[in-house]
Amino acid sequence: MKNKTSSPPQEGAAHPSRCPDNSAFKQQRLPAWKPQLTIASVLSSFFLTGAFCLTVGVCLVWSANSVREIQIDYSDKCSDCSKLRENSSNWNKECLCSVNFTLKEDILGDIFMYYGLQNFYQNHRRYMMSRSDAQLLGRNVNIQRSHCAPFSTYGNGTPMAPCGAIANSMFNDTIDLFYHRNSSVIQVPLLKTGNSWWTDKNVKFRNPESYNLSSAFAGTARPPYWQKPVYLLDEEDERNNGYVNDDFIIWMRVSAFATFRNLYRRVRRTRHFVDGLPAGNYTFRISYNFPVTRFKGRKHVILSTVVWSGGSNPFLGIAYVVSGTAATLTGFVITGIHLKLRKKKTYFQKQ
C-alpha cells in the first residue's frame, strides 16, 4: 500500500482571506452622530448648569447654617490630667475633670455627641496599613505575617488582640453629660450603640466564634496602650464588646485629614430630653486618658444636630455656588464675545 502523504500546496493556490467582512459594522460604516455646537446650545448649557449649581449650592449652604452646634475645647481645661497622662507609668491612675457650659436656647431634635482631634495624622501610610482585617473578621490568623508590627506580639510571643497601630491608639476618653435642673443634677442618657455603619457592624467586623468572649480571646493580650481587654470594652452591654464594639469600629475607620471628628454618642430622647436638650447649665465630666500634648494636639467635644444634607460642613454648598457662578460668568463672557464678533461681521458685510 502506498503511504498517503499530504502534497505541498500548489503555487498560486488561494489563501484564506484575513480581511473583515464587508458589513457596515466591521467596515465602520454605521451611522454616527456628533453634536452640532451652536451659539444657542452652548449658551443654554452654561446658563442652565449655572442656575442648577447655584440653586443646589444655596440650598446646601442654608441647610448647613441651620444646624445647631456647640463645640468645647477641653485640652487646657483638663491640663492637670494632661500632665498626668504624659507619664506612661500613670496609665492605671484615673483622672477626672469637669467642663461647664450654658445653653442659651433649646436644641431640639436628634442630638449627636462627637469627639474631635486636631493635629492627629491618621493618613500616614504605615499607620493606615497597621491592621489585620482577617483578625477583625474573627479568624484565627498568624498576625506575625500581617502589617501589625511592632504592635503584633509581646516579647513572650503572646499575640495582641486587636493588633496594629490604629487599634493601639484608640481614643479612650470617657465623656458624660449632666444637666443642672433647679437644685438637682440629672445625667443625660446617651446611646452607645447604633452609631457605626451597618456594613462595618455586620460585614467587616466579627468576633471569634466561642461560647463566650473571654474564652474566644484566650491566649491573647490587650494592646499596650489599652486599659482593659477587648472583650470588656463595654461592661454594661455584652453585645457591644469585642471587635463589634461601636467605639472601636468608628475609630478603625481612619480620617483623611489631621483634624477630624468621630461620632461618640447620641442623646436618648426620654424624660426631660424627649424634645432634645433644654436651655440651661450643663457639665461635661471627662475621664481623661488620651494624651495629646506630645504631638501638639487638641481635643474637643461637640454637640450637634443634623439635617437632610448632613452636619454643619458648608464645603459642598460653597463648591456648588462657586461652580455655578463660574458657569454663569462663562456664559456671559461667551455672549459678549459672540455679540462683538457678530457686529464686526455685519460691519464687513456692509462694506
Side-chain angles (χ1 to χ4, degrees):
M1 296 180 63
K2 297 182 179 180
N3 294 331
K4 294 182 179 180
T5 56
S6 57
S7 59
Q10 297 179 0
E11 187 177 353
H15 294 280
S17 175
R18 307 181 77 180
C19 296
D21 295 337
N22 188 19
S23 61
F25 177 74
K26 293 187 176 181
Q27 295 297 334
Q28 299 184 10
R29 294 196 302 265
L30 290 175
W33 175 87
K34 64 179 180 179
Q36 299 294 331
L37 298 179
T38 62
I39 188 62
S41 62
V42 171
L43 290 179
S44 60
S45 62
F46 273 104
F47 284 121
L48 288 176
T49 302
F52 172 78
C53 291
L54 286 173
T55 303
V56 174
V58 170
C59 292
L60 289 174
V61 170
W62 175 82
S63 176
N65 290 336
S66 64
V67 173
R68 295 290 307 280
E69 179 177 299
I70 178 171
Q71 178 171 314
I72 296 175
D73 187 330
Y74 64 94
S75 304
D76 296 331
K77 297 180 181 180
C78 298
S79 56
D80 294 337
C81 292
S82 177
K83 294 178 181 178
L84 180 70
R85 286 289 173 255
E86 290 306 313
N87 188 349
S88 60
S89 62
N90 298 325
W91 66 271
N92 58 345
K93 296 181 180 179
E94 186 179 16
C95 188
L96 299 175
C97 61
S98 299
V99 179
N100 300 319
F101 67 98
T102 302
L103 290 182
K104 297 181 180 179
E105 298 179 354
D106 297 345
I107 300 181
L108 304 178
D110 294 329
I111 302 172
F112 299 82
M113 180 187 293
Y114 302 84
Y115 62 85
L117 289 177
Q118 182 177 343
N119 206 35
F120 189 92
Y121 290 86
Q122 285 189 312
N123 55 2
H124 192 280
R125 184 180 64 88
R126 290 284 300 275
Y127 181 87
M128 295 175 63
M129 293 176 58
S130 185
R131 59 187 293 164
S132 173
D133 291 322
Q135 183 193 47
L136 298 177
L137 282 171
R139 300 172 183 171
N140 187 13
V141 296
N142 185 4
I143 61 175
Q144 291 183 345
R145 297 180 180 179
S146 65
H147 298 282
C148 290
F151 301 102
S152 56
T153 59
Y154 284 93
N156 58 2
T158 304
M160 299 181 189
C163 70
I166 305 177
N168 184 59
S169 62
M170 177 180 168
F171 183 86
N172 57 351
D173 283 2
T174 303
I175 306 172
D176 294 315
L177 180 61
F178 294 88
Y179 170 51
H180 300 271
R181 185 174 183 267
N182 299 327
S183 58
S184 60
V185 178
I186 303 172
Q187 184 171 2
V188 179
L190 302 174
L191 296 174
K192 297 180 180 180
T193 58
N195 301 325
S196 59
W197 292 13
W198 185 92
T199 52
D200 288 346
K201 187 81 172 181
N202 297 276
V203 178
K204 295 183 178 181
F205 293 83
R206 295 176 185 173
N207 284 325
E209 295 183 359
S210 181
Y211 63 93
N212 60 44
L213 276 183
S214 60
S215 62
F217 289 98
T220 64
R222 58 177 175 81
Y225 292 172
W226 285 29
Q227 297 177 336
K228 46 189 174 182
V230 67
Y231 55 86
L232 292 178
L233 288 178
D234 189 352
E235 299 180 3
E236 299 177 358
D237 188 355
E238 295 181 356
R239 298 170 299 177
N240 191 34
N241 273 313
Y243 297 146
V244 296
N245 176 266
D246 274 45
D247 293 337
F248 174 70
I249 291 175
I250 291 173
W251 178 259
M252 293 299 291
R253 184 175 288 276
V254 297
S255 172
F257 301 99
T259 299
F260 61 93
R261 63 175 63 177
N262 284 336
L263 181 59
Y264 181 68
R265 297 289 185 267
R266 291 177 294 130
V267 175
R268 183 179 180 184
R269 298 177 62 176
T270 181
R271 299 183 60 188
H272 306 289
F273 314 100
V274 66
D275 296 324
L277 292 180
N281 297 321
Y282 290 83
T283 298
F284 281 122
R285 187 173 299 172
I286 302 168
S287 177
Y288 197 105
N289 299 304
F290 193 86
V292 295
T293 306
R294 290 189 177 181
F295 57 87
K296 299 180 181 179
R298 311 289 298 181
K299 293 194 292 186
H300 306 83
V301 58
I302 304 107
L303 292 173
S304 176
T305 60
V306 295
V307 291
W308 62 271
S309 61
S312 62
N313 189 355
F315 173 79
L316 185 60
I318 294 175
Y320 267 102
V321 170
V322 171
S323 301
T325 303
T328 305
L329 291 177
T330 304
F332 281 117
V333 170
I334 294 176
T335 302
I337 295 173
H338 170 68
L339 294 176
K340 186 176 181 180
L341 293 177
R342 189 172 64 176
K343 289 181 179 179
K344 286 186 177 181
K345 183 177 179 180
T346 303
Y347 173 77
F348 285 115
Q349 286 177 350
K350 290 182 179 179
Q351 295 295 326

